[in-house]
Amino acid sequence: MLAIKNIEWIGDARAGRLRLLDQTKLPEQVVYLDCDRVEQVADAIKCLAVRGAPAIGVAAAYGCVIGVQAAGPEGAGASEAQRDALGQAASLLASSRPTAVNLFWALDRMQCVSAPTPDALLAEARAIHEQDAAMCEQIGRNTVALIEKAVRAGRPAVLTHCNAGALATGGIGTATAGMYLAKQNKLAFRVYADETRPLLQGARLTVFELLIAGIDVELICDSAAAQVMRGGEVGMVITGADRIAANGDSANKVGTYSLAVLARHHGIPFYVAAPSSTFDRAIADGAGIPIEHRDAEEIVNGFGRRTAPSEVVAHNPAFDVTPHELIEAIITEKGLIQPVNADTVAQVLGMSVTV
Ligand code: MRU
């Protein structure tokens, strides 16, 4: 399990600060960013120092505490000043990234705190953090049987994309949660991790954390997935999600959709692992999910090395949407949504998306 903390509150509510593991520096350096201004938290989310849908939500929740620290001393009018400061912090943080709905879910929860003192907000941020960890554990428990089934069927490899791991959440990850528990249960499985162009979250982050856990992981180029699947060893594909519409259409890191198409062609079940906080049931289907477009420099000048002529035009959607028909099941903390459609999403999640 990952011993390194990706998100940590240091100190008390009134003068404390948010410590974030700077994921842009991994795997070469383990460096932390200490944030005592809400702008720093928003920038850390934008530049992917903290990333992954649940982790973005947790970091933003703590960011709200920082936003209110500066609202002035206690006393007459304090509550109004704190409410204003909270609103401003939340709107800045909400503008940091558009796709991961956990961000907006966490900010809504923070804004529902009735007397938004730093102490009350820190308690709520800690609750969001702890609940995310609990949801990851339960997702893991709900995934292990699927890994075991694949192992028993003689297809012991799990293929994953991007990083839906401990680094991306407040706990043991979503897509990786079952892997960690399967390792504890001594299941003989292995993992293929897609590199995940252009920012290499699979290579830099998933491989980093799975190796620390002693999980048998092999890195592949994204474009090798079809060839690896044809080899017959892959028993399941499992990814995370950034936003899931009411009918189960799921947005995740660009390249996920093509994996789902490939998995269908090869008869391999494609699973999405996500907590209820990743569902946006106000959106009927995937067409309504906002897709982040990032700077073309990430493709043509990634990590400071120019790999295409400088005059080229590059198109860089950071996410894609996998249609629900291609998803064998969505693994949530509340159980499996299977088959995936609007009715089963509503049945498993019930009316509320909170835990
Ligand atoms: O751009 P990123 O690195 O934030 O993208 C992250 C992903 O796509 C993850 O798969 C997703 O957020 C799920 S994290 C449990």
Side-chain angles (χ1 to χ4, degrees):
M1 225 66 71
L2 194 66
I4 303 168
K5 287 191 174 138
N6 57 341
I7 304 173
E8 188 179 12
W9 183 263
I10 308 286
D12 65 11
R14 276 146 211 273
R17 62 194 185 281
L18 177 61
R19 180 163 292 169
L20 297 172
L21 174 64
D22 184 351
Q23 298 188 32
T24 66
K25 302 284 195 298
L26 290 174
E28 286 177 311
Q29 294 170 41
V30 176
V31 177
Y32 296 91
L33 295 170
D34 276 2
C35 305
D36 55 12
R37 288 183 301 111
V38 68
E39 291 79 7
Q40 290 172 304
V41 182
D43 287 346
I45 296 173
K46 268 184 215 159
C47 79
L48 312 195
V50 59
R51 34 67 51 207
I56 292 171
V58 172
Y62 287 119
C64 289
V65 184
I66 296 171
V68 170
Q69 284 174 333
E74 298 294 299
S79 167
E80 206 177 315
Q82 285 164 343
R83 173 73 50 206
D84 285 351
L86 175 60
Q88 282 172 26
S91 83
L92 179 69
L93 291 160
S95 68
S96 58
R97 291 191 80 189
T99 303
V101 77
N102 307 60
L103 169 64
F104 307 97
W105 172 85
L107 292 174
D108 283 350
R109 267 187 66 166
M110 295 305 285
Q111 289 180 99
C112 285
V113 172
S114 53
T117 61
D119 288 289
L121 291 172
L122 181 58
E124 185 68 356
R126 286 197 197 284
I128 288 172
H129 197 165
E130 281 161 20
Q131 285 168 13
D132 188 61
M135 290 192 284
C136 289
E137 285 281 340
Q138 190 55 46
I139 288 169
R141 287 193 278 274
N142 295 343
T143 306
V144 169
L146 302 172
I147 299 180
E148 194 169 358
K149 192 172 157 199
V151 170
R152 287 226 176 102
R155 301 179 114 197
V158 180
L159 196 150
T160 191
H161 189 66
C162 195
N163 174 260
L167 289 165
T169 66
I172 58 171
T174 56
T176 60
M179 300 176 198
Y180 286 125
L181 299 188
K183 170 77 182 168
Q184 273 177 14
N185 293 357
K186 301 195 179 349
L187 284 180
F189 72 104
R190 57 202 303 267
V191 177
Y192 284 109
D194 274 2
E195 262 183 324
T196 316
R197 283 274 297 153
L199 295 180
L200 305 183
Q201 288 94 330
R204 295 187 302 104
L205 309 177
T206 299
V207 169
F208 174 80
E209 63 168 88
L210 295 186
L211 284 178
I212 289 174
I215 290 174
D216 182 0
V217 56
E218 203 165 317
L219 178 65
I220 59 170
C221 295
D222 301 342
S223 45
Q227 183 65 13
V228 169
M229 286 186 196
R230 191 159 62 184
E233 193 200 351
V234 177
M236 63 193 285
V237 177
I238 183 164
T239 72
D242 280 73
R243 192 183 295 229
I244 303 176
N247 71 344
D249 291 353
S250 298
N252 191 52
K253 179 54 56 192
V254 70
T256 302
Y257 174 26
S258 43
L259 272 188
V261 173
L262 289 176
R264 176 58 57 90
H265 179 77
H266 290 94
I268 297 168
F270 176 90
Y271 296 102
V272 170
S276 50
S277 52
T278 300
F279 286 77
D280 183 352
R281 288 156 72 198
I283 291 182
D285 59 43
I289 298 178
I291 298 294
E292 178 181 19
H293 285 255
R294 294 185 63 89
D295 196 331
E297 283 292 288
E298 289 180 353
I299 299 182
V300 300
N301 200 17
F303 306 100
R305 164 97 162 78
R306 181 153 290 284
T307 52
S310 53
E311 61 273 26
V312 73
V313 174
H315 178 60
N316 189 15
F319 297 94
D320 59 25
V321 177
T322 300
H324 64 96
E325 300 88 345
L326 293 179
I327 304 172
E328 175 68 24
I330 303 178
I331 307 163
T332 76
E333 81 281 6
K334 292 173 189 275
L336 261 57
I337 299 173
Q338 186 179 28
V340 181
N341 58 50
D343 291 339
T344 53
V345 168
Q347 273 162 27
V348 173
L349 296 187
M351 294 306 289
S352 160
V353 295
T354 52
V355 288

